[in-house]
Amino acid sequence: MRRAASFLVLLLCLYWTRAQGESGGVTGNDITQTEVQSEILGVIATSDQTNITPDIWAELKELRDMAIEHSVELSNSKSKMEKLEQENTAIQARLTASENEVVKLKIENTDLQSRVTAFEDKSTVLEARMNATENEVEELKRQNADRPKVAFSLGLTDAGQVGPFNTDITLKFSKVFTNFGQAYSPTTGHFTAPVRGAYYFSFTTVDNRIYVGSVVYLYHNDKRVLWNHDYNDEYGHTNLSNSMVLQLEKGDVVYMVLPASYSVYDDRDDRSTFNGFLLFPL
Ligand SMILES: *[C@@H]1O[C@H](CO)[C@@H](O)[C@H](O)[C@H]1NC(C)=O
């Protein structure tokens, strides 16, 4: 019975020590074996029971150590838990922020995608227009390359007066200033149309005789298209000048004719000239 009472006292004492350790920050390391033994011995001294074996003391001490150890572990676990909770809160906050960011980015992405689609549509339209324009340019280039270059400017002669003759003659303009496309022949006096088209012609002739009429014709094939006349009733020269746009078929000829009994004049001053060019093919 006494032995049981002593053991109870001892347990109470252990409990007290542990409570001190928790509230006062005393750790298991602070309590030495000697202290524990003297505490226990103090309790033992109050009782006249002395036959408790050292094994019990050792076991008690071990129990107490275990209790302290668990208490410390519990305390450590608690602070670890708190720390983990704090970390968890922080992580959750960051997660929420990230989720918001993702939502925002998704909206931005959708917006960008619709803009890209609109841009692509526009690009296709523009590309189609560009293709059409390129095709037109190619067609125009081809037409331009096919289009013959035809233009001439001629002077009649440096020899002075030509005529009068007994018959009509074709005037052969022998001074070639320009003859692009070689459509005018100084040998025959004929301009020959290389393509069907609209052609422009102009001429000026001078006559130096006085008290006579001055006449020249412009012919398209065998048809007289211009009949020009003046009369010199005083002195100096007469001038005849005219121009015309003719529609010619390929191979048609155009030339100037001096009728019988009339004359024209030219010298180094190029007073009598004949000009023409292709306006556009048809
Ligand atoms: C434009 O022309 C290119 C080359 O011929 C072709 O690959 C493309 O599909 C054309 N684009 C459109 C929109 O017609």
Side-chain angles (χ1 to χ4, degrees):
M1 186 68 194
R2 220 179 253 171
R3 194 170 163 170
S6 301
F7 190 67
L8 249 170
V9 170
L10 184 65
L11 274 180
L12 277 172
C13 186
L14 273 174
Y15 217 87
W16 177 80
T17 314
R18 188 184 144 197
Q20 283 295 102
E22 268 184 5
S23 62
V26 179
T27 66
N29 295 338
D30 296 333
I31 299 148
T32 66
Q33 193 178 346
T34 336
E35 277 171 337
V36 173
Q37 273 177 351
S38 59
E39 264 175 42
I40 293 166
L41 284 170
V43 172
I44 302 305
T46 58
S47 121
D48 47 4
Q49 181 59 271
T50 52
N51 58 345
I52 297 172
T53 64
D55 279 357
I56 300 278
W57 297 122
E59 266 178 48
L60 279 175
K61 184 195 167 289
E62 206 174 303
L63 269 173
R64 182 179 171 277
D65 283 352
M66 269 171 68
I68 290 167
E69 203 178 301
H70 283 156
S71 162
V72 168
E73 268 177 20
L74 196 67
S75 167
N76 283 347
S77 295
K78 248 169 99 180
S79 60
K80 260 189 202 164
M81 197 68 154
E82 276 164 17
K83 208 174 140 207
L84 282 175
E85 269 171 7
Q86 277 171 7
E87 277 177 12
N88 191 28
T89 309
I91 284 170
Q92 268 185 358
R94 283 171 64 188
L95 190 66
T96 307
S98 292
E99 280 171 351
N100 290 343
E101 195 71 16
V102 166
V103 169
K104 209 174 117 197
L105 284 175
K106 267 187 187 166
I107 291 168
E108 276 179 15
N109 193 30
T110 307
D111 182 43
L112 273 179
Q113 268 181 355
S114 61
R115 281 168 67 185
V116 164
T117 306
F119 184 77
E120 279 173 351
D121 290 350
K122 228 180 192 173
S123 269
T124 309
V125 170
L126 282 178
E127 195 182 305
R129 282 175 63 185
M130 198 171 76
N131 279 3
T133 307
E134 276 176 358
N135 290 343
E136 267 175 46
V137 166
E138 285 306 312
E139 176 60 24
L140 286 173
K141 267 189 190 167
R142 231 181 352 260
Q143 282 181 9
N144 214 29
D146 290 347
R147 180 175 164 166
K149 293 178 175 62
V150 183
F152 66 88
S153 251
L154 315 157
L156 184 60
T157 179
D158 281 346
Q161 192 174 312
V162 177
F165 301 107
N166 295 326
T167 55
D168 296 1
I169 61 138
T170 297
L171 288 172
K172 293 169 185 171
F173 289 78
S174 59
K175 295 187 284 186
V176 176
F177 306 131
T178 53
N179 192 12
F180 295 104
Q182 308 297 314
Y184 183 83
S185 165
T187 315
T188 62
H190 284 184
F191 169 83
T192 306
V195 290
R196 182 172 191 261
Y199 292 81
Y200 175 88
F201 296 97
S202 71
F203 65 85
T204 296
T205 56
V206 161
D207 189 6
N208 63 333
R209 294 191 300 159
I210 55 173
Y211 307 123
V212 289
S214 179
V215 176
V216 288
Y217 304 143
L218 181 72
Y219 269 79
H220 171 198
N221 293 337
D222 52 3
K223 181 183 169 204
R224 191 173 67 200
V225 289
L226 282 176
W227 186 99
N228 287 257
H229 173 260
D230 198 5
Y231 185 80
N232 190 348
D233 58 357
E234 214 175 352
Y235 55 87
H237 302 83
T238 49
N239 282 274
L240 299 174
S241 205
N242 216 332
S243 62
M244 206 173 200
V245 171
L246 291 173
Q247 181 179 328
L248 305 182
E249 299 302 320
K250 183 180 176 178
D252 280 3
V253 288
V254 174
Y255 51 97
M256 294 206 59
V257 169
L258 178 68
S261 81
Y262 294 102
S263 67
V264 287
Y265 179 86
D266 193 21
D267 56 23
R268 289 179 184 170
D269 291 332
D270 307 317
R271 296 157 193 267
S272 294
T273 59
F274 185 30
N275 314 283
F277 54 83
L278 170 65
L279 260 182
F280 46 82
L282 292 167

